[in-house]
Amino acid sequence: MRVLLPAEMRAVDTYAISRLGIPGAVLMEDAGAAVAQRVGEVIASQPSPRVVVFCGPGNNGGDGYVVARRLVQLGVSVSVYVFCHESSVMGDAKTHLQWLRHCGIEPRFVETITPEIAEAADQANVIVDALLGTGLRGEVTGLLAESIALINRSDALVISVDIPSGVDAATGKVLGIAVNADITVTFAYPKVGQLVYPGRGFCGKLEVVDIGIPSWIVSQIQEVQSNMYLIEASTVGRVLPRRIQPSHKGTYGRLIVIAGSSGMPGAASLACAGALRSGVGTVVAIVPRSIQQVVHAHNVEVMSCAAPESEDGCFSIQALELAVERLSSCAAYVLGPGLGRNDEVGQFVSRLLGQCDVPGVIDADGLMALARLKIDPGSLNSPAVLTPHPGEMSALTGLSVADIVADPVGVCTRYSSEWGQTVVLKGATTVVGLPDGTAHISVRGNAGLATGGTGDVLAGLIGGLIAQGTAPPDAAIAGVYVHGLAGELASQALGMASMLARDVAAHIPSALLQIAGP
Protein backbone atom coordinates (compact mmCIF):
# COMPACT_ATOMS: atom_id res chain seq x y z
CA MET A 1 0.00 0.00 0.00
CA ARG A 2 1.32 3.44 -0.91
CA VAL A 3 2.15 5.87 1.86
CA LEU A 4 1.74 9.58 1.07
CA LEU A 5 2.81 12.92 2.40
CA PRO A 6 -0.07 15.29 3.22
CA ALA A 7 0.74 17.56 0.26
CA GLU A 8 0.60 14.52 -2.01
CA MET A 9 -2.78 13.51 -0.60
CA ARG A 10 -4.09 17.01 -1.30
CA ALA A 11 -2.86 16.63 -4.89
CA VAL A 12 -4.73 13.33 -5.14
CA ASP A 13 -7.92 14.99 -3.86
CA THR A 14 -7.50 17.84 -6.34
CA TYR A 15 -7.00 15.43 -9.24
CA ALA A 16 -10.07 13.42 -8.27
CA ILE A 17 -12.17 16.59 -8.13
CA SER A 18 -10.82 18.45 -11.17
CA ARG A 19 -9.94 15.62 -13.55
CA LEU A 20 -12.30 12.80 -12.58
CA GLY A 21 -15.24 15.04 -11.76
CA ILE A 22 -15.82 13.69 -8.25
CA PRO A 23 -17.29 16.62 -6.29
CA GLY A 24 -15.38 17.55 -3.16
CA ALA A 25 -18.59 17.40 -1.18
CA VAL A 26 -18.99 13.76 -2.24
CA LEU A 27 -15.47 12.86 -1.09
CA MET A 28 -16.22 14.58 2.23
CA GLU A 29 -19.50 12.66 2.48
CA ASP A 30 -17.74 9.35 1.91
CA ALA A 31 -15.03 10.21 4.45
CA GLY A 32 -17.48 11.22 7.15
CA ALA A 33 -19.70 8.23 6.43
CA ALA A 34 -16.75 5.87 6.98
CA VAL A 35 -16.00 7.45 10.34
CA ALA A 36 -19.67 7.38 11.33
CA GLN A 37 -19.81 3.70 10.49
CA ARG A 38 -16.81 3.08 12.77
CA VAL A 39 -18.42 5.08 15.57
CA GLY A 40 -21.59 3.06 15.10
CA GLU A 41 -19.65 -0.18 15.51
CA VAL A 42 -18.06 1.08 18.72
CA ILE A 43 -21.35 2.14 20.34
CA ALA A 44 -23.51 -0.70 19.00
CA SER A 45 -23.65 -2.53 22.34
CA GLN A 46 -24.23 0.57 24.48
CA PRO A 47 -27.84 1.27 25.57
CA SER A 48 -27.95 5.10 25.29
CA PRO A 49 -24.65 6.25 23.83
CA ARG A 50 -23.61 9.89 23.76
CA VAL A 51 -21.30 11.12 21.02
CA VAL A 52 -19.60 14.51 20.99
CA VAL A 53 -18.04 15.81 17.77
CA PHE A 54 -15.34 18.50 18.04
CA CYS A 55 -14.92 20.33 14.72
CA GLY A 56 -12.38 22.84 13.47
CA PRO A 57 -12.56 25.43 10.69
CA GLY A 58 -11.34 23.38 7.72
CA ASN A 59 -12.28 20.28 5.77
CA ASN A 60 -11.56 18.08 8.78
CA GLY A 61 -14.41 19.90 10.49
CA GLY A 62 -16.52 19.27 7.40
CA ASP A 63 -15.90 15.55 7.79
CA GLY A 64 -17.07 15.96 11.38
CA TYR A 65 -20.39 17.51 10.25
CA VAL A 66 -21.00 14.45 8.09
CA VAL A 67 -20.21 12.14 11.00
CA ALA A 68 -22.71 13.96 13.19
CA ARG A 69 -25.47 13.99 10.54
CA ARG A 70 -25.04 10.30 9.77
CA LEU A 71 -25.18 9.37 13.45
CA VAL A 72 -28.26 11.51 14.06
CA GLN A 73 -29.99 9.73 11.20
CA LEU A 74 -29.29 6.48 13.09
CA GLY A 75 -30.94 7.87 16.20
CA VAL A 76 -27.74 8.52 18.16
CA SER A 77 -27.55 11.43 20.60
CA VAL A 78 -24.92 13.79 19.14
CA SER A 79 -23.56 17.17 20.25
CA VAL A 80 -21.42 19.23 17.87
CA TYR A 81 -18.97 21.91 18.99
CA VAL A 82 -17.11 24.03 16.45
CA PHE A 83 -13.93 25.73 17.69
CA CYS A 84 -13.83 28.73 15.37
CA HIS A 85 -15.99 31.62 14.17
CA GLU A 86 -18.71 30.57 11.75
CA SER A 87 -17.25 32.86 9.09
CA SER A 88 -14.17 30.61 8.98
CA VAL A 89 -16.19 27.68 7.64
CA MET A 90 -16.04 27.69 3.85
CA GLY A 91 -16.32 25.55 0.73
CA ASP A 92 -17.43 21.93 1.06
CA ALA A 93 -17.32 22.17 4.85
CA LYS A 94 -19.87 25.00 4.73
CA THR A 95 -22.09 22.89 2.45
CA HIS A 96 -22.10 20.06 4.97
CA LEU A 97 -22.68 22.48 7.83
CA GLN A 98 -25.86 23.59 6.07
CA TRP A 99 -26.93 19.99 5.49
CA LEU A 100 -26.37 19.26 9.17
CA ARG A 101 -28.66 22.11 10.08
CA HIS A 102 -31.31 20.83 7.68
CA CYS A 103 -31.34 17.67 9.81
CA GLY A 104 -32.25 19.74 12.86
CA ILE A 105 -28.81 19.79 14.47
CA GLU A 106 -27.51 23.22 15.40
CA PRO A 107 -23.78 23.08 16.20
CA ARG A 108 -22.42 25.41 18.86
CA PHE A 109 -19.62 27.74 17.79
CA VAL A 110 -17.20 28.01 20.69
CA GLU A 111 -15.15 31.02 21.74
CA THR A 112 -14.13 29.69 25.14
CA ILE A 113 -14.31 26.36 26.96
CA THR A 114 -17.32 26.48 29.26
CA PRO A 115 -18.40 24.11 32.05
CA GLU A 116 -21.16 22.87 29.73
CA ILE A 117 -18.64 21.76 27.09
CA ALA A 118 -16.40 20.17 29.69
CA GLU A 119 -19.37 18.28 31.11
CA ALA A 120 -20.40 17.09 27.63
CA ALA A 121 -16.90 15.72 27.06
CA ASP A 122 -16.90 14.02 30.47
CA GLN A 123 -20.25 12.33 29.87
CA ALA A 124 -19.57 11.23 26.28
CA ASN A 125 -19.08 7.61 25.35
CA VAL A 126 -17.24 8.65 22.18
CA ILE A 127 -15.53 11.89 21.20
CA VAL A 128 -14.89 12.43 17.50
CA ASP A 129 -11.81 14.60 16.87
CA ALA A 130 -12.41 16.57 13.65
CA LEU A 131 -10.43 19.63 14.67
CA LEU A 132 -7.37 19.97 12.44
CA GLY A 133 -6.60 16.99 10.20
CA THR A 134 -3.59 16.75 7.90
CA GLY A 135 -3.53 20.44 6.96
CA LEU A 136 -1.85 21.49 10.19
CA ARG A 137 0.98 23.95 9.53
CA GLY A 138 2.10 25.31 12.90
CA GLU A 139 2.03 24.97 16.67
CA VAL A 140 -1.41 24.38 18.14
CA THR A 141 -2.21 27.17 20.59
CA GLY A 142 -5.13 28.98 22.16
CA LEU A 143 -8.65 27.62 21.94
CA LEU A 144 -7.73 24.63 19.78
CA ALA A 145 -5.00 23.59 22.24
CA GLU A 146 -7.52 23.88 25.07
CA SER A 147 -10.01 21.71 23.16
CA ILE A 148 -7.37 19.02 22.59
CA ALA A 149 -6.47 19.06 26.29
CA LEU A 150 -10.16 18.64 27.09
CA ILE A 151 -10.38 15.58 24.82
CA ASN A 152 -7.31 14.05 26.42
CA ARG A 153 -8.74 14.51 29.93
CA SER A 154 -11.94 12.66 29.03
CA ASP A 155 -12.49 8.97 29.67
CA ALA A 156 -14.42 8.66 26.41
CA LEU A 157 -13.16 6.55 23.54
CA VAL A 158 -11.59 8.96 21.04
CA ILE A 159 -11.82 8.53 17.28
CA SER A 160 -9.73 10.92 15.21
CA VAL A 161 -10.74 11.87 11.69
CA ASP A 162 -7.80 11.34 9.28
CA ILE A 163 -5.08 12.05 11.89
CA PRO A 164 -5.03 13.02 15.56
CA SER A 165 -5.21 16.81 15.72
CA GLY A 166 -1.81 18.26 16.57
CA VAL A 167 0.24 15.59 14.79
CA ASP A 168 2.23 16.67 11.74
CA ALA A 169 1.15 14.25 9.01
CA ALA A 170 4.47 14.66 7.19
CA THR A 171 6.86 13.97 10.08
CA GLY A 172 4.91 12.54 13.00
CA LYS A 173 6.02 15.41 15.22
CA VAL A 174 3.63 16.78 17.81
CA LEU A 175 3.12 20.48 17.21
CA GLY A 176 2.54 21.69 20.74
CA ILE A 177 -0.20 19.29 21.85
CA ALA A 178 -1.97 16.39 20.13
CA VAL A 179 -5.08 14.29 20.60
CA ASN A 180 -4.34 10.89 22.09
CA ALA A 181 -6.72 8.81 19.95
CA ASP A 182 -7.90 5.26 20.47
CA ILE A 183 -8.78 4.85 16.79
CA THR A 184 -7.71 6.91 13.78
CA VAL A 185 -9.69 6.54 10.57
CA THR A 186 -7.66 7.83 7.64
CA PHE A 187 -8.68 8.10 4.02
CA ALA A 188 -7.39 6.36 0.88
CA TYR A 189 -3.74 6.05 1.98
CA PRO A 190 -1.79 6.10 5.24
CA LYS A 191 0.35 9.20 5.82
CA VAL A 192 3.97 9.15 6.96
CA GLY A 193 3.23 10.92 10.24
CA GLN A 194 0.84 8.14 11.24
CA LEU A 195 3.53 5.46 10.88
CA VAL A 196 6.56 7.00 12.60
CA TYR A 197 6.92 8.10 16.20
CA PRO A 198 5.84 10.09 18.07
CA GLY A 199 2.81 10.51 15.78
CA ARG A 200 2.21 6.78 15.51
CA GLY A 201 1.81 6.60 19.27
CA PHE A 202 -1.06 9.11 19.19
CA CYS A 203 -3.04 7.30 16.48
CA GLY A 204 -4.13 4.29 18.48
CA LYS A 205 -5.43 1.74 16.00
CA LEU A 206 -4.95 3.11 12.49
CA GLU A 207 -7.62 2.15 9.96
CA VAL A 208 -7.37 3.05 6.27
CA VAL A 209 -10.71 3.36 4.47
CA ASP A 210 -11.69 3.73 0.83
CA ILE A 211 -13.53 6.94 -0.10
CA GLY A 212 -13.92 6.27 -3.80
CA ILE A 213 -10.59 7.55 -5.15
CA PRO A 214 -9.23 5.09 -7.76
CA SER A 215 -5.80 3.76 -6.77
CA TRP A 216 -4.39 4.16 -10.27
CA ILE A 217 -4.48 7.95 -10.21
CA VAL A 218 -1.46 8.16 -7.87
CA SER A 219 0.83 7.22 -10.75
CA GLN A 220 -0.71 10.00 -12.88
CA ILE A 221 -0.04 12.87 -10.50
CA GLN A 222 3.22 14.76 -10.91
CA GLU A 223 3.11 16.09 -7.34
CA VAL A 224 3.35 12.56 -5.92
CA GLN A 225 7.12 12.17 -5.87
CA SER A 226 7.66 9.94 -2.85
CA ASN A 227 8.01 6.19 -3.18
CA MET A 228 6.90 4.88 0.18
CA TYR A 229 4.93 1.73 0.94
CA LEU A 230 3.41 0.11 3.98
CA ILE A 231 4.50 -3.53 4.20
CA GLU A 232 1.44 -5.79 4.18
CA ALA A 233 0.95 -9.52 4.66
CA SER A 234 -0.24 -9.96 1.08
CA THR A 235 3.02 -8.52 -0.26
CA VAL A 236 5.10 -10.73 2.01
CA GLY A 237 3.11 -13.84 1.15
CA ARG A 238 3.95 -13.42 -2.53
CA VAL A 239 7.73 -13.46 -1.99
CA LEU A 240 8.13 -16.09 0.72
CA PRO A 241 9.83 -19.30 -0.50
CA ARG A 242 7.54 -22.25 -1.12
CA ARG A 243 8.06 -25.89 -0.23
CA ILE A 244 7.85 -28.21 -3.24
CA GLN A 245 7.72 -31.94 -3.85
CA PRO A 246 10.05 -33.65 -4.48
CA SER A 247 12.84 -31.74 -2.76
CA HIS A 248 15.75 -32.14 -0.34
CA LYS A 249 17.76 -29.89 1.94
CA GLY A 250 19.90 -28.71 -0.95
CA THR A 251 16.78 -27.35 -2.62
CA TYR A 252 16.48 -24.72 0.11
CA GLY A 253 19.99 -23.42 0.16
CA ARG A 254 23.00 -23.28 2.46
CA LEU A 255 23.58 -20.31 4.75
CA ILE A 256 26.90 -19.48 6.42
CA VAL A 257 26.62 -17.61 9.73
CA ILE A 258 29.89 -15.91 10.72
CA ALA A 259 29.28 -14.61 14.19
CA GLY A 260 30.02 -14.75 17.88
CA SER A 261 32.88 -14.36 20.32
CA SER A 262 33.68 -15.73 23.76
CA GLY A 263 31.71 -12.93 25.39
CA MET A 264 28.74 -13.14 23.01
CA PRO A 265 28.09 -16.75 22.04
CA GLY A 266 24.34 -16.14 22.13
CA ALA A 267 24.50 -13.74 19.19
CA ALA A 268 25.67 -16.53 16.92
CA SER A 269 23.16 -18.97 18.38
CA LEU A 270 20.24 -16.59 17.90
CA ALA A 271 21.21 -15.74 14.33
CA CYS A 272 21.30 -19.46 13.60
CA ALA A 273 17.89 -19.93 15.26
CA GLY A 274 16.35 -17.20 13.11
CA ALA A 275 17.87 -18.75 10.01
CA LEU A 276 16.72 -22.29 10.81
CA ARG A 277 13.14 -21.08 11.31
CA SER A 278 13.20 -19.34 7.90
CA GLY A 279 13.08 -22.70 6.13
CA VAL A 280 16.64 -22.71 4.84
CA GLY A 281 18.03 -26.16 4.06
CA THR A 282 21.36 -26.00 5.91
CA VAL A 283 22.92 -23.58 8.37
CA VAL A 284 26.68 -23.68 8.90
CA ALA A 285 28.02 -21.61 11.77
CA ILE A 286 31.62 -20.41 11.61
CA VAL A 287 32.43 -19.38 15.17
CA PRO A 288 35.50 -18.95 17.40
CA ARG A 289 36.63 -22.34 18.66
CA SER A 290 35.81 -21.59 22.30
CA ILE A 291 32.06 -21.17 21.67
CA GLN A 292 31.46 -23.98 19.20
CA GLN A 293 29.87 -26.27 21.78
CA VAL A 294 27.63 -23.47 23.07
CA VAL A 295 26.20 -22.93 19.59
CA HIS A 296 25.56 -26.66 19.21
CA ALA A 297 23.90 -26.85 22.62
CA HIS A 298 21.40 -24.18 21.56
CA ASN A 299 20.80 -25.41 18.00
CA VAL A 300 21.45 -29.10 17.42
CA GLU A 301 20.46 -28.77 13.73
CA VAL A 302 23.34 -26.40 12.98
CA MET A 303 26.58 -27.60 11.40
CA SER A 304 29.67 -25.72 12.55
CA CYS A 305 33.31 -24.91 11.92
CA ALA A 306 35.67 -23.94 14.73
CA ALA A 307 37.65 -20.88 13.68
CA PRO A 308 41.02 -19.72 15.01
CA GLU A 309 40.52 -17.04 17.65
CA SER A 310 42.51 -14.25 19.24
CA GLU A 311 43.47 -14.07 22.90
CA ASP A 312 40.27 -12.22 23.74
CA GLY A 313 38.06 -14.89 22.17
CA CYS A 314 37.25 -13.07 18.92
CA PHE A 315 37.93 -14.10 15.33
CA SER A 316 41.62 -14.17 14.46
CA ILE A 317 42.83 -13.07 11.06
CA GLN A 318 43.92 -16.69 10.64
CA ALA A 319 40.21 -17.56 10.35
CA LEU A 320 40.04 -15.76 7.02
CA GLU A 321 41.07 -18.72 4.86
CA LEU A 322 38.45 -20.98 6.43
CA ALA A 323 35.71 -18.39 6.05
CA VAL A 324 36.54 -17.65 2.41
CA GLU A 325 36.57 -21.35 1.59
CA ARG A 326 33.17 -21.92 3.20
CA LEU A 327 31.64 -18.87 1.52
CA SER A 328 32.48 -20.35 -1.86
CA SER A 329 30.01 -23.19 -1.29
CA CYS A 330 27.08 -21.27 0.18
CA ALA A 331 24.09 -19.41 -1.24
CA ALA A 332 24.22 -16.56 1.30
CA TYR A 333 25.86 -15.41 4.52
CA VAL A 334 25.18 -13.56 7.75
CA LEU A 335 28.14 -11.62 9.10
CA GLY A 336 28.46 -9.61 12.26
CA PRO A 337 26.39 -10.59 15.30
CA GLY A 338 28.59 -10.68 18.39
CA LEU A 339 31.94 -10.54 16.56
CA GLY A 340 33.46 -7.94 18.87
CA ARG A 341 35.07 -4.69 17.81
CA ASN A 342 38.82 -5.04 18.06
CA ASP A 343 41.18 -4.16 15.21
CA GLU A 344 41.77 -7.77 14.20
CA VAL A 345 38.04 -8.36 13.80
CA GLY A 346 37.89 -5.25 11.63
CA GLN A 347 40.61 -6.56 9.36
CA PHE A 348 38.93 -9.96 9.20
CA VAL A 349 35.61 -8.40 8.14
CA SER A 350 37.25 -6.09 5.60
CA ARG A 351 39.29 -8.79 3.88
CA LEU A 352 36.47 -11.32 3.96
CA LEU A 353 34.03 -8.95 2.27
CA GLY A 354 36.71 -8.06 -0.26
CA GLN A 355 36.71 -11.69 -1.40
CA CYS A 356 32.99 -12.38 -1.08
CA ASP A 357 30.83 -12.70 -4.20
CA VAL A 358 27.58 -14.05 -2.74
CA PRO A 359 24.71 -12.01 -1.27
CA GLY A 360 24.24 -11.74 2.43
CA VAL A 361 23.42 -9.79 5.58
CA ILE A 362 25.81 -7.52 7.45
CA ASP A 363 24.72 -6.79 11.00
CA ALA A 364 25.94 -5.37 14.30
CA ASP A 365 29.73 -5.59 14.70
CA GLY A 366 30.11 -6.24 10.98
CA LEU A 367 28.57 -2.82 10.35
CA MET A 368 30.78 -1.22 12.98
CA ALA A 369 33.83 -2.66 11.25
CA LEU A 370 32.72 -1.00 8.00
CA ALA A 371 32.28 2.27 9.85
CA ARG A 372 35.65 2.17 11.66
CA LEU A 373 37.54 1.32 8.48
CA LYS A 374 35.48 3.81 6.41
CA ILE A 375 34.48 1.13 3.92
CA ASP A 376 31.81 2.37 1.54
CA PRO A 377 28.97 -0.20 1.48
CA GLY A 378 28.55 0.69 -2.16
CA SER A 379 31.98 -0.79 -2.89
CA LEU A 380 31.04 -4.34 -1.85
CA ASN A 381 31.34 -7.01 -4.54
CA SER A 382 27.82 -8.39 -4.10
CA PRO A 383 24.35 -7.31 -2.94
CA ALA A 384 24.06 -7.00 0.82
CA VAL A 385 21.34 -6.23 3.33
CA LEU A 386 22.64 -3.86 6.00
CA THR A 387 20.66 -4.02 9.26
CA PRO A 388 21.70 -1.09 11.48
CA HIS A 389 19.94 0.33 14.51
CA PRO A 390 20.18 4.14 14.81
CA GLY A 391 23.51 4.00 16.67
CA GLU A 392 25.11 1.88 13.98
CA MET A 393 23.55 4.02 11.27
CA SER A 394 25.10 7.04 12.96
CA ALA A 395 28.53 5.39 12.83
CA LEU A 396 28.09 4.54 9.14
CA THR A 397 26.84 7.96 8.05
CA GLY A 398 28.17 10.51 10.53
CA LEU A 399 24.65 11.73 11.25
CA SER A 400 23.55 12.11 14.85
CA VAL A 401 21.25 9.51 16.35
CA ALA A 402 18.72 12.28 17.00
CA ASP A 403 18.66 13.26 13.32
CA ILE A 404 18.22 9.63 12.28
CA VAL A 405 15.37 9.01 14.72
CA ALA A 406 13.68 12.25 13.63
CA ASP A 407 13.59 11.20 9.96
CA PRO A 408 14.07 7.43 9.63
CA VAL A 409 12.34 7.22 6.25
CA GLY A 410 14.37 10.02 4.69
CA VAL A 411 17.70 8.83 6.09
CA CYS A 412 17.14 5.20 5.14
CA THR A 413 16.03 6.08 1.62
CA ARG A 414 18.93 8.46 1.06
CA TYR A 415 21.65 5.99 2.01
CA SER A 416 20.15 2.87 0.45
CA SER A 417 20.10 4.79 -2.84
CA GLU A 418 23.57 6.23 -2.33
CA TRP A 419 25.12 2.87 -1.43
CA GLY A 420 23.12 0.80 -3.89
CA GLN A 421 22.34 -1.66 -1.09
CA THR A 422 19.27 -2.66 0.87
CA VAL A 423 19.17 -1.00 4.29
CA VAL A 424 17.00 -2.14 7.19
CA LEU A 425 16.92 0.77 9.64
CA LYS A 426 15.63 -0.88 12.80
CA GLY A 427 13.46 0.91 15.31
CA ALA A 428 9.97 1.11 16.79
CA THR A 429 8.98 1.70 13.17
CA THR A 430 11.40 -0.20 10.96
CA VAL A 431 12.16 1.14 7.49
CA VAL A 432 13.53 -0.93 4.61
CA GLY A 433 15.23 1.25 2.02
CA LEU A 434 15.93 -0.27 -1.39
CA PRO A 435 18.54 0.69 -3.98
CA ASP A 436 15.74 1.84 -6.31
CA GLY A 437 14.86 4.65 -3.90
CA THR A 438 11.71 3.12 -2.46
CA ALA A 439 11.03 2.92 1.27
CA HIS A 440 9.01 0.10 2.81
CA ILE A 441 7.66 0.75 6.28
CA SER A 442 6.76 -1.90 8.85
CA VAL A 443 4.52 -1.23 11.82
CA ARG A 444 4.53 -4.84 13.04
CA GLY A 445 6.12 -5.68 16.36
CA ASN A 446 5.97 -4.07 19.77
CA ALA A 447 8.08 -3.09 22.77
CA GLY A 448 8.67 -6.76 23.59
CA LEU A 449 11.28 -6.75 20.82
CA ALA A 450 13.32 -4.24 22.84
CA THR A 451 15.53 -6.94 24.33
CA GLY A 452 18.98 -8.23 23.51
CA GLY A 453 19.31 -10.65 20.63
CA THR A 454 16.17 -9.89 18.63
CA GLY A 455 18.28 -8.17 15.97
CA ASP A 456 20.40 -11.30 15.66
CA VAL A 457 17.27 -13.34 15.03
CA LEU A 458 16.23 -10.86 12.32
CA ALA A 459 19.63 -11.06 10.62
CA GLY A 460 19.44 -14.85 10.54
CA LEU A 461 15.88 -14.81 9.24
CA ILE A 462 16.72 -12.47 6.35
CA GLY A 463 19.86 -14.45 5.56
CA GLY A 464 17.88 -17.68 5.48
CA LEU A 465 15.40 -16.21 3.02
CA ILE A 466 18.21 -15.02 0.75
CA ALA A 467 19.82 -18.49 0.86
CA GLN A 468 16.53 -19.95 -0.40
CA GLY A 469 16.71 -17.76 -3.49
CA THR A 470 14.70 -14.73 -2.39
CA ALA A 471 16.18 -11.50 -3.77
CA PRO A 472 17.85 -9.47 -0.99
CA PRO A 473 15.35 -6.57 -1.17
CA ASP A 474 12.39 -8.95 -0.96
CA ALA A 475 14.08 -10.96 1.79
CA ALA A 476 14.57 -7.79 3.83
CA ILE A 477 10.94 -6.70 3.43
CA ALA A 478 9.58 -10.15 4.22
CA GLY A 479 12.02 -10.77 7.06
CA VAL A 480 11.18 -7.52 8.81
CA TYR A 481 7.44 -8.20 8.61
CA VAL A 482 7.69 -11.83 9.73
CA HIS A 483 10.03 -10.89 12.59
CA GLY A 484 7.65 -8.17 13.80
CA LEU A 485 4.65 -10.47 13.64
CA ALA A 486 6.58 -13.20 15.48
CA GLY A 487 7.32 -10.65 18.19
CA GLU A 488 3.62 -9.85 18.52
CA LEU A 489 2.74 -13.54 18.76
CA ALA A 490 5.45 -14.11 21.36
CA SER A 491 4.16 -11.22 23.46
CA GLN A 492 0.62 -12.56 23.29
CA ALA A 493 1.85 -15.85 24.68
CA LEU A 494 4.35 -14.55 27.22
CA GLY A 495 3.87 -10.83 27.76
CA MET A 496 6.13 -8.11 26.42
CA ALA A 497 8.19 -7.77 29.58
CA SER A 498 9.21 -11.41 29.83
CA MET A 499 9.65 -12.50 26.22
CA LEU A 500 13.17 -13.26 25.03
CA ALA A 501 14.86 -13.22 21.66
CA ARG A 502 14.67 -17.00 21.53
CA ASP A 503 10.88 -16.71 21.93
CA VAL A 504 10.74 -14.53 18.83
CA ALA A 505 12.59 -17.20 16.86
CA ALA A 506 10.25 -19.85 18.24
CA HIS A 507 7.20 -17.92 16.97
CA ILE A 508 8.49 -17.44 13.42
CA PRO A 509 6.69 -20.65 12.29
CA SER A 510 3.37 -19.31 13.58
CA ALA A 511 3.98 -16.01 11.83
CA LEU A 512 4.74 -17.79 8.55
CA LEU A 513 1.61 -19.90 8.89
CA GLN A 514 -0.50 -16.82 9.53
CA ILE A 515 0.90 -15.07 6.44
CA ALA A 516 1.16 -17.86 3.89
CA GLY A 517 -0.66 -20.90 5.28
CA PRO A 518 0.73 -24.44 5.58
Side-chain angles (χ1 to χ4, degrees):
M1 180 184 294
R2 287 292 293 266
V3 177
L4 299 185
L5 293 165
E8 293 173 331
M9 189 65 226
R10 287 192 289 274
V12 169
D13 287 337
T14 299
Y15 187 99
I17 294 167
S18 63
R19 299 290 295 274
L20 302 185
I22 304 174
V26 171
L27 293 176
M28 191 171 286
E29 179 73 23
D30 290 344
V35 178
Q37 178 178 338
R38 191 67 181 94
V39 175
E41 293 167 355
V42 167
I43 63 176
S45 61
Q46 298 174 2
S48 299
R50 296 182 178 181
V51 177
V52 173
V53 183
F54 280 14
C55 296
N59 285 343
N60 199 241
D63 297 334
Y65 303 142
V66 177
V67 175
R69 175 168 52 79
R70 289 276 184 150
L71 291 174
V72 167
Q73 290 169 342
L74 294 175
V76 178
S77 175
V78 182
S79 300
V80 182
Y81 297 95
V82 186
F83 293 82
C84 66
H85 193 276
E86 185 170 355
S87 62
S88 300
V89 181
M90 297 181 290
D92 296 325
K94 185 174 182 178
T95 297
H96 282 287
L97 173 60
Q98 294 168 344
W99 291 355
L100 179 64
R101 283 172 164 157
H102 289 323
C103 290
I105 299 298
E106 184 60 43
R108 175 171 173 180
F109 286 86
V110 179
E111 296 181 357
T112 185
I113 303 292
T114 64
E116 174 200 339
I117 299 171
E119 183 180 1
D122 286 340
Q123 295 180 352
N125 300 99
V126 175
I127 296 177
V128 176
D129 158 36
L131 289 167
L132 293 171
T134 61
L136 181 62
R137 287 181 171 82
E139 291 276 316
V140 182
T141 59
L143 182 61
L144 287 169
E146 293 176 26
S147 66
I148 290 173
L150 182 62
I151 292 173
N152 289 343
R153 287 196 298 269
S154 172
D155 292 330
L157 185 138
V158 178
I159 298 181
S160 284
V161 178
D162 213 5
I163 193 166
S165 294
V167 173
D168 186 330
T171 66
K173 294 178 180 177
V174 173
L175 300 181
I177 185 172
V179 169
N180 196 355
D182 297 291
I183 299 170
T184 297
V185 180
T186 197
F187 311 125
Y189 301 95
K191 320 307 181 293
V192 176
Q194 298 163 337
L195 305 181
V196 299
Y197 285 93
R200 178 179 161 191
F202 285 82
C203 288
K205 182 181 180 184
L206 179 67
E207 301 179 0
V208 183
V209 298
D210 178 22
I211 58 171
I213 297 176
S215 59
W216 58 263
I217 73 173
V218 172
S219 62
Q220 307 297 313
I221 301 172
Q222 186 176 0
E223 291 87 346
V224 179
Q225 296 291 322
S226 62
N227 281 297
M228 299 175 289
Y229 299 84
L230 179 64
I231 304 175
E232 298 179 283
S234 57
T235 302
V236 173
R238 287 194 292 270
V239 301
L240 287 173
R242 301 289 180 180
R243 268 353 219 201
I244 59 175
Q245 293 286 18
S247 60
H248 52 81
K249 66 183 180 182
T251 306
Y252 306 107
R254 175 184 291 253
L255 178 72
I256 301 293
V257 176
I258 304 169
S261 59
S262 61
M264 291 179 284
S269 296
L270 290 166
C272 290
L276 288 166
R277 293 297 190 178
S278 76
V280 68
T282 306
V283 177
V284 179
I286 302 177
V287 295
R289 182 175 291 108
S290 61
I291 68 168
Q292 184 180 24
Q293 293 308 311
V294 176
V295 173
H296 276 295
H298 291 164
N299 299 289
V300 296
E301 298 87 353
V302 170
M303 299 170 62
S304 70
C305 298
E309 61 184 50
S310 57
E311 291 183 1
D312 57 359
C314 297
F315 276 86
S316 163
I317 197 66
Q318 277 72 45
L320 181 63
E321 183 178 353
L322 169 65
V324 170
E325 177 190 352
R326 293 292 179 167
L327 280 178
S328 66
S329 61
C330 75
Y333 68 86
V334 173
L335 172 65
L339 289 179
R341 299 183 181 181
N342 64 34
D343 290 342
E344 194 166 5
V345 167
Q347 290 301 317
F348 170 78
V349 169
S350 172
R351 293 171 64 178
L352 178 64
L353 291 174
Q355 299 179 62
C356 177
D357 59 3
V358 296
V361 180
I362 306 175
D363 184 45
D365 293 336
L367 296 171
M368 294 306 292
L370 296 183
R372 288 198 313 276
L373 297 174
K374 301 188 184 316
I375 298 172
D376 180 359
S379 68
L380 300 178
N381 299 328
S382 56
V385 177
L386 313 180
T387 56
H389 57 54
E392 292 157 351
M393 194 66 173
S394 176
L396 287 166
T397 64
L399 299 174
S400 70
V401 170
D403 286 342
I404 292 167
V405 171
D407 185 18
V409 177
V411 170
C412 189
T413 305
R414 170 187 169 187
Y415 284 96
S416 58
S417 298
E418 183 176 310
W419 294 332
Q421 302 286 12
T422 300
V423 177
V424 175
L425 181 52
K426 297 180 289 192
T429 296
T430 293
V431 182
V432 182
L434 304 190
D436 64 6
T438 59
H440 301 258
I441 303 169
S442 174
V443 294
R444 300 315 300 246
N446 55 37
L449 291 170
T451 187
T454 56
D456 305 322
V457 174
L458 175 62
L461 173 57
I462 296 173
L465 294 174
I466 296 173
Q468 293 174 75
T470 306
D474 289 337
I477 292 169
V480 163
Y481 187 93
V482 171
H483 180 262
L485 178 55
E488 293 176 14
L489 296 173
S491 72
Q492 290 169 15
L494 302 165
M496 286 191 282
S498 298
M499 60 185 272
L500 304 174
R502 71 183 76 168
D503 301 319
V504 178
H507 282 82
I508 289 173
S510 298
L512 291 171
L513 279 171
Q514 184 169 315
I515 295 166

